[in-house]
Amino acid sequence: MELERAGTGNSGGIRKTKEVALKRLLVVSLMLILGVSLLGMAAGKVAVVLDVGGRGDLSFNDMGFKGTDEAAKDFGLQMVEVQCATGADYLPNLRNVARTGDYDLIICVGFLLGDALAAAAAEFPNQKFAIIDVDYITGPNIMNFVFRENEMSALIGGLAAMSAAYHGYSAAGIVLGIEIPVLWHFEAGYRFGMDWGLKAYASHEGAAKNVNLLYTYTGTFSDIALGKAASEAMLAQGAVGIYNVAGPLGVGDHEAVAEAHGNLGTLFGPPYFYGVDANQDFIGNGFHGIASGMKRVDTACYMAVEAVVKGQFKAGVISLGLKEGGVAISKVGDLADFIQFGIKGGSVNPDDFYTIIGNWAQNRATIPGWIWDAVDKLEAGILDGSIVVPTAGTGDQIAAVRAQYTLGAP
Amino acid sequence: MTENPVRESRLLRGVHRTVTGLHPALESLVAAIVGLLIGALLMYIWGFDPWKAYWALLRGAYGGSYEWASSLARGTPLILTALTFAICVRAGMFNIGAEGQTMIGAMAAVCVALFAAPTGLHLVIGLVFAAVAGALWSVVPAVLRVTRGVSEVISTIMFNWIGRWLALYLAIYVIVDPMRAEKTLTVPVTARFPILVRGTDLSASIFVAVGVALLVYFLLWHTTMGYEVRAAGLNPTAARYGGIRNKRTMIISFLLGGAAAGLAGATMAMGLPPSYAIFGGGGLPELTNLGFDGMAVAMVGRNHPIGILMAAVFFGGLNAGGRVMQFYGSNPVPLEMIRVVMGAIVLALAIPELIRLFPAIKRQGERLFAVLRRRRETRSKEGEA
């Protein structure tokens, strides 16, 4: 197969002479391309298929790319990235890649690819697949990865509620994307976390305080301006911070927070910005970003590639939570990691590395140690199973969670 | 201007003027070559091998029956949205509203999941739903244009947004699948277009698209009504002088275009495997940009139904081949670059038609400016008083 395709690509005398001419003009870059392709001939191949969100979100899709890329480098594989321009591209892209028969593993990043993967996996039973954020595809050749986003969202919710109470704010905000089951996990966890945080505050200070939840489903995962508008409205209603649960909208959320600081004339302290999926604490040079609810899509992709390389591929559902390192609240080491990732992608200036960490540390210092200790306590409780964070996968379940943790709603 | 005007008129009746004076088909070919060269230059500058990339594009688009089927499937909805734009251009208007009408049409088609009906009939009901919904969505801009002189460019763009958010609302909260909240209800098997080539997503919806294109051709070029529409488009004043009711032709062309766009939505909801549903949770990824891409297809096809059919095959191939360019051989090209190259090719192809339409575009602009100027004059008069 490989030889055959290489043969057709180089046939034809005219094209060959033109190729020679081109090579002379662009020796360096072509050597690079050739080098990569030669490497690829020898080793296996892995493909990562992204949905319409595509690269550049500093979040979900970039994480999928990052994890697969790292695994490909570590195990000496060639990696190919396939993006989808529209929903009509999902199944054709999977078929196109699968029918070559060259790929050891095809990773689908995102639940939107679920139906297409189910169809493609049935058509190509010998092709191994993995998918992120989907748990319902059965088949001997599919690894499903899901995350317990409710767990790290509870930590963010607890932090937000306690810091709101401490700084005298009346609310905490969460700006979400389109109302889909995956996002209900975040909302359910955040609600539980806020409730837990308010109780922890009451037991520490000896007096209870009310902090309301402000939440908006913006209906988009791409319109940054809508994220900013929703955040502005929440800040105007007294929100201590904004938890971004819509990937790229975080840029808009952060902008709203930064403008609020501009109006107050402050650099540190509330209002805060809470990132999602990736470590987004570095957005805006470390100003205002205080913690991110990280969902390690990269870890899942790495695990999938590793399993295939080591011959441990096992079909089924793998659930990743705090315990498995699949989700986490951001720490300083993660921040350094992701600044490096941002530098590599060109979105962060290399000279700003220490500035960002310095700003971030100063901002973190505006929240007293006992609150951070309480967040750690919540984390430990979830880890040892003594605290169970509710989640929601259906409309009825999220309605039940909303009814239990009303947080200021009538 | 052309060597054989009689044969030309038989080949592509209605295409009278060309920019270069060449035969329209030859003109398009020259434009395509220019576009491909620009695309090659762009890829060369950014360090990709243009020959290998174009080879991948060609193989991916028309390399075999699988590739042909994928290309035709990708082009099918674009035929319909292109017709929306083309019909209105023939009637002297710029209907940018196919995007919103497609989304509304798709939602109407999904509603067939709410009841049962025999195979075939169920499908037809869905098509009727979609066509009617698409046509209804174009009524308000049409009526505003006819009664109040509101620029259809502005009103249809606004209606695109209203349509998009309404469709999103319906998809997420109303006709949503309760077990899988990220998508709408699934269109039942009895209302689906059958797949024509196994292992691809080419469905029988292509017959609907081609059928509507031929119907539009017949209506516009072989009926009195079509003659009136085209006459009103070429010169509204002369047409009115000749006894043609311009308002009627405007409304008819808007409704026809809306129905075509609605059907485009139906082909996606009822003919796109494997989901046969629309994903509200992804922001309607199946439908986004169908209307706008359709405008480009119409331009490349010179706003003629037969030209649009050919342009849709080309566009479908460009998109299907673009998928393959991303991973084919030793020269993978990222999607962003592919879209830049595609943009260059499409722009080059559309320029002749854009220049031909320039007088009409200018007229639109002048009309808008006239409204603004009048308003400013009234305001300054009020100030004087």
Side-chain angles (χ1 to χ4, degrees):
Chain A
M1 194 78 191
E2 197 68 69
L3 276 172
E4 191 188 303
R5 293 201 302 112
T8 49
N10 289 329
S11 65
I14 302 165
R15 198 163 44 245
K16 204 156 192 175
T17 47
K18 278 181 182 164
E19 255 181 42
V20 172
L22 278 174
K23 269 176 200 161
R24 282 185 188 144
L25 283 166
L26 249 173
V27 184
V28 182
S29 68
L30 264 178
M31 289 250 287
L32 258 171
I33 292 168
L34 273 175
V36 170
S37 70
L38 282 175
L39 260 175
M41 296 288 173
K45 277 172 146 185
V46 49
V48 57
V49 181
L50 307 173
D51 77 24
V52 285
R55 289 291 308 284
D57 57 359
L58 295 179
S59 173
F60 192 79
N61 288 298
D62 280 346
M63 301 265 282
F65 172 82
K66 175 176 177 269
T68 317
D69 186 46
E70 281 169 2
K73 282 196 183 111
D74 287 359
F75 301 114
L77 305 174
Q78 189 195 341
M79 183 193 130
V80 177
E81 173 195 349
V82 181
Q83 298 193 55
C84 297
T86 88
D89 288 339
Y90 297 152
L91 183 55
N93 270 340
L94 290 180
R95 280 175 171 155
N96 282 341
V97 178
R99 71 201 286 271
T100 65
D102 292 344
Y103 293 84
D104 298 315
L105 176 69
I106 299 173
I107 303 178
C108 303
V109 182
F111 70 91
L112 284 172
L113 293 155
D115 285 347
L117 171 62
E123 285 174 28
F124 301 95
N126 298 323
Q127 172 69 55
K128 292 190 180 76
F129 292 96
I131 185 160
I132 309 290
D133 268 359
V134 165
D135 63 358
Y136 52 80
I137 307 179
T138 52
N141 53 342
I142 308 156
M143 253 179 159
N144 297 255
F145 286 93
V146 285
F147 296 86
R148 300 198 293 278
E149 297 95 345
N150 52 327
E151 295 185 353
M152 94 291 195
S153 295
L155 302 180
I156 300 285
L159 175 63
M162 285 186 281
S163 46
Y166 174 79
H167 286 293
Y169 279 74
S170 64
I174 176 170
V175 173
L176 304 107
I178 300 174
E179 191 159 357
I180 49 172
V182 177
L183 262 55
W184 286 335
H185 305 170
F186 289 87
E187 190 197 328
Y190 197 69
R191 280 176 183 273
F192 171 85
M194 278 183 69
D195 187 70
W196 188 93
L198 291 175
K199 281 176 192 152
Y201 180 86
S203 75
H204 184 267
E205 297 283 309
K209 259 193 184 173
N210 269 337
V211 175
N212 298 336
L213 169 70
L214 300 173
Y215 75 104
T216 302
Y217 283 91
T218 54
T220 171
F221 285 110
S222 54
D223 192 342
I224 290 171
L226 268 181
K228 187 179 176 194
S231 304
E232 278 170 349
M234 289 179 180
L235 293 170
Q237 291 175 69
V240 72
I242 307 294
Y243 182 25
N244 161 40
V245 188
L249 265 65
V251 175
D253 301 356
H254 184 278
E255 214 172 286
V257 170
E259 278 176 17
H261 274 278
N263 295 338
L264 291 167
T266 50
L267 282 178
F268 302 105
Y272 302 110
F273 166 74
Y274 309 94
V276 78
D277 291 354
N279 186 323
Q280 295 187 322
D281 297 356
F282 70 84
I283 293 181
N285 265 359
F287 283 114
H288 319 312
I290 192 146
S292 292
M294 294 193 302
K295 170 171 163 179
R296 303 303 299 257
V297 178
D298 54 339
T299 306
C301 290
Y302 194 98
M303 281 171 71
V305 177
E306 191 177 21
V308 169
V309 170
K310 294 190 173 161
Q312 294 161 343
F313 182 89
K314 213 170 126 257
V317 179
I318 295 169
S319 169
L320 301 173
L322 281 178
K323 197 187 256 172
E324 295 82 4
V327 302
I329 186 169
S330 57
K331 309 261 157 63
V332 67
D334 307 317
L335 181 58
D337 260 10
F338 274 86
I339 297 173
Q340 294 293 1
F341 181 53
I343 289 171
K344 226 166 67 184
S347 61
V348 177
N349 182 349
D351 301 336
D352 290 339
F353 186 87
Y354 291 105
T355 327
I356 294 172
I357 294 186
N359 288 336
W360 178 80
Q362 274 199 63
N363 200 28
R364 281 215 158 185
T366 59
I367 290 178
W370 70 263
I371 291 184
W372 292 110
D373 292 343
V375 173
D376 287 346
K377 214 172 94 189
L378 177 56
E379 184 171 4
I382 296 171
L383 280 174
D384 69 22
S386 61
I387 298 173
V388 179
V389 184
T391 191
T394 66
D396 293 341
Q397 286 169 351
I398 190 67
V401 173
R402 281 174 188 163
Q404 191 182 352
Y405 306 102
T406 54
L407 296 162
Chain B
M1 289 228 284
T2 43
E3 284 169 50
N4 192 341
V6 180
R7 216 170 84 216
E8 183 213 2
S9 67
R10 210 178 292 146
L11 194 77
L12 272 181
R13 235 186 281 189
V15 181
H16 298 298
R17 286 173 291 168
T18 62
V19 175
T20 51
L22 296 168
H23 187 281
L26 201 60
E27 194 180 80
S28 286
L29 196 68
V30 171
I33 291 170
V34 170
L36 285 167
L37 283 176
I38 296 172
L41 188 71
L42 289 169
M43 283 194 279
Y44 178 74
I45 292 172
W46 267 274
F48 303 102
D49 185 334
W51 308 115
K52 280 184 182 169
Y54 277 145
W55 178 244
L57 177 72
L58 192 67
R59 284 287 300 266
Y62 311 113
S65 59
Y66 169 89
E67 286 81 2
W68 266 99
S70 301
S71 298
L72 293 178
R74 188 69 177 74
T76 299
L78 298 178
I79 295 174
L80 292 161
T81 51
L83 287 171
T84 307
F85 183 73
I87 295 168
C88 285
V89 165
R90 291 289 174 183
M93 294 179 293
F94 288 100
N95 179 359
I96 321 285
E99 186 83 3
Q101 292 153 15
T102 305
M103 290 173 178
I104 296 296
M107 290 307 134
V110 167
C111 287
V112 298
L114 297 172
F115 56 88
T119 312
L121 179 67
H122 210 174
L123 177 74
V124 173
I125 294 173
L127 289 177
V128 172
F129 273 19
V132 170
L136 283 177
W137 201 249
S138 68
V139 162
V140 176
V143 168
L144 282 175
R145 171 78 166 89
V146 168
T147 60
R148 311 300 308 160
V150 175
S151 164
E152 72 280 2
V153 175
I154 309 286
S155 61
T156 49
I157 289 176
M158 288 173 163
F159 261 70
N160 280 345
W161 285 106
I162 303 171
R164 180 186 173 78
W165 288 104
L166 179 63
L168 206 52
Y169 177 80
L170 291 173
I172 296 173
Y173 296 105
V174 183
I175 41 177
V176 62
D177 183 343
M179 298 314 293
R180 295 271 306 278
E182 72 269 22
K183 63 176 182 179
T184 62
L185 293 167
T186 304
V187 172
V189 185
T190 47
R192 289 179 192 171
F193 285 105
I195 295 294
L196 295 181
V197 181
R198 259 172 61 90
T200 71
D201 43 8
L202 179 64
S203 71
S205 60
I206 191 167
F207 297 132
V208 172
V210 174
V212 172
L214 295 178
L215 180 73
V216 167
Y217 172 69
F218 178 78
L219 280 179
L220 284 189
W221 274 275
H222 293 282
T223 64
T224 319
M225 185 201 85
Y227 173 78
E228 290 182 355
V229 166
R230 285 185 297 125
L234 285 172
N235 190 336
T237 319
R240 200 160 53 236
Y241 184 74
I244 291 169
R245 283 170 291 171
N246 288 6
K247 291 181 177 176
R248 193 168 144 262
T249 63
M250 280 179 186
I251 298 265
I252 287 172
S253 52
F254 250 104
L255 291 182
L256 259 179
L263 287 175
T267 64
M268 297 312 273
M270 301 157 71
L272 182 70
S275 300
Y276 297 98
I278 303 295
F279 278 79
L284 313 172
E286 303 86 357
L287 306 172
T288 307
N289 284 339
L290 280 185
F292 299 129
D293 286 351
M295 286 168 61
V297 173
M299 295 267 191
V300 173
R302 289 161 187 270
N303 295 310
H304 188 287
I306 309 301
I308 284 171
L309 288 179
M310 295 193 267
V313 173
F314 176 73
F315 249 74
L318 212 53
N319 280 288
R323 294 168 186 152
V324 175
M325 279 167 85
Q326 291 188 73
F327 67 89
Y328 189 85
S330 58
N331 183 43
V333 183
L335 184 69
E336 290 83 357
M337 191 70 221
I338 292 167
R339 290 178 76 82
V340 169
V341 172
M342 270 158 60
I345 295 171
V346 169
L347 198 61
L349 274 167
I351 278 174
E353 183 67 10
L354 270 174
I355 293 173
R356 222 168 66 76
L357 285 177
F358 183 73
I361 297 172
K362 206 175 131 205
R363 215 162 45 226
Q364 278 280 344
E366 277 168 356
R367 231 155 49 80
L368 270 177
F369 273 119
V371 171
L372 290 175
R373 200 162 46 227
R374 224 176 298 143
R375 195 171 297 156
R376 202 178 303 140
E377 273 166 14
T378 16
R379 210 178 295 146
S380 62
K381 264 180 205 152
E382 277 166 10
E384 280 164 27

